[in-house]
Amino acid sequence: KTSKKFTLNKQNLRTESLKEKNKKRIFFLYGDSLTAQFIPMFNSLNFEDSFYYEHDKQPLLTIDYKKINSLLDYYDDVVFVTNVDPLFLDKLLIENIYYNFNDKIKIIILGTVPNIDKKINPLKCLIKKINCKYLISKDYENRNLEKYFNTINKLKSLFNRIYFYNPYNIICPENLCFVYNESSDILTHRDWIHLTIEGSILLKQSFKQFYDNTFK
């Protein structure tokens, strides 16, 4: 949002951030680095839909509703996509977003990913080729994730245009998981809260299934 070198098209979108395919559907990704970490996942999918990303350091607080609503003049289906972290999950905030959008616009909440132990340095694990593990039970306790997921489920039941994609158990399906696994040579996190590119791409198949169940 702060870059001064960009070109706007007739939809008021930056062409540098737009992956245009057709006019049927556009996924409008909006948020900070916690949303941006899902871009490799989206780029790895061979959708016929268009894809756009807009970065904002204060996600959910400065949404340009008018611009996003106006996309319905150009696309049959507009899907607003953003990460909602447990720290910022507020039912009233989500409700406000819901009612500010045109009632044809769908909303996908990208769930939180596992946060690893802050004592772990993923890059060192990779360089030294050592197994580094973390417990999701600690993450659940530290961030009160049970409340987070319960609140998300309530939002889904209240608002019929809100969908939830949960990447958590794909990245860590068991209580004890690897940040770096020597045998598979996969590094899931670049720091304690963000996925690596390969970590993001690990979500490809599960998001494809979510997409098929939601939009087909």
Side-chain angles (χ1 to χ4, degrees):
K1 235 176 180 183
T2 57
S3 174
K4 295 180 180 179
K5 294 183 179 180
F6 59 87
T7 304
L8 292 177
N9 64 12
K10 62 182 179 180
Q11 294 103 301
N12 200 27
L13 301 178
R14 297 184 180 189
T15 57
E16 296 82 0
S17 302
L18 176 64
K19 189 175 182 181
E20 186 83 278
K21 292 225 175 166
N22 63 45
K23 297 296 184 182
K24 181 180 179 183
R25 179 182 295 118
I26 184 170
F27 286 94
F28 191 104
L29 250 76
Y30 174 86
D32 58 12
S33 61
L34 294 175
T35 298
Q37 67 182 333
F38 291 93
I39 291 177
M41 176 195 77
F42 274 92
N43 281 334
S44 70
L45 295 161
N46 294 318
F47 290 158
E48 290 303 315
D49 307 314
S50 297
F51 167 79
Y52 182 78
Y53 175 67
E54 184 168 305
H55 191 82
D56 198 320
K57 293 181 179 179
Q58 292 182 306
L60 307 185
L61 299 178
T62 55
I63 300 170
D64 190 339
Y65 294 102
K66 183 178 179 181
K67 179 173 79 172
I68 298 172
N69 285 334
S70 71
L71 292 175
L72 289 167
D73 295 334
Y74 303 95
Y75 298 91
D76 296 335
D77 197 16
V78 177
V79 186
F80 178 79
V81 186
T82 193
N83 166 265
V84 180
D85 191 77
L87 185 62
F88 301 106
L89 180 61
D90 185 313
K91 178 183 176 297
L92 293 176
L93 177 61
I94 303 300
E95 185 173 338
N96 182 57
I97 291 170
Y98 183 87
Y99 286 115
N100 272 292
F101 278 130
N102 183 294
D103 60 11
K104 292 182 179 179
I105 291 180
K106 300 177 179 69
I107 300 169
I108 293 179
I109 295 174
L110 299 171
T112 186
V113 301
N115 284 191
I116 67 175
D117 193 318
K118 293 182 182 180
K119 295 178 182 178
I120 297 175
N121 185 326
L123 187 57
K124 285 186 178 179
C125 300
L126 175 64
I127 293 172
K128 294 183 177 181
K129 299 293 182 183
I130 55 174
N131 291 328
C132 292
K133 306 173 184 179
Y134 61 99
L135 292 168
I136 64 168
S137 54
K138 287 187 178 180
D139 188 29
Y140 261 72
E141 181 180 351
N142 291 341
R143 296 195 290 152
N144 199 3
L145 291 185
E146 185 174 354
K147 179 182 178 182
Y148 168 78
F149 288 118
N150 286 338
T151 303
I152 291 284
N153 287 329
K154 288 178 182 177
L155 287 168
K156 283 174 55 187
S157 65
L158 286 172
F159 305 114
N160 60 6
R161 290 182 287 112
I162 288 182
Y163 304 91
F164 178 58
Y165 172 65
N166 185 5
Y168 198 99
N169 291 335
I170 305 302
I171 298 298
C172 186
E174 306 290 340
N175 183 42
L176 182 64
C177 285
F178 290 90
V179 177
Y180 177 74
N181 188 328
E182 184 183 10
S183 62
S184 62
D185 197 29
I186 292 177
L187 182 72
T188 60
H189 289 67
R190 60 183 173 89
D191 57 31
W192 62 281
I193 59 174
H194 294 97
L195 299 176
T196 58
I197 291 175
E198 64 181 336
S200 182
I201 293 174
L202 285 175
L203 302 171
K204 176 180 177 179
Q205 291 304 320
S206 71
F207 190 85
K208 175 65 166 56
Q209 184 176 0
F210 166 81
Y211 173 91
D212 289 343
N213 292 338
T214 306
F215 297 103
K216 285 192 174 182

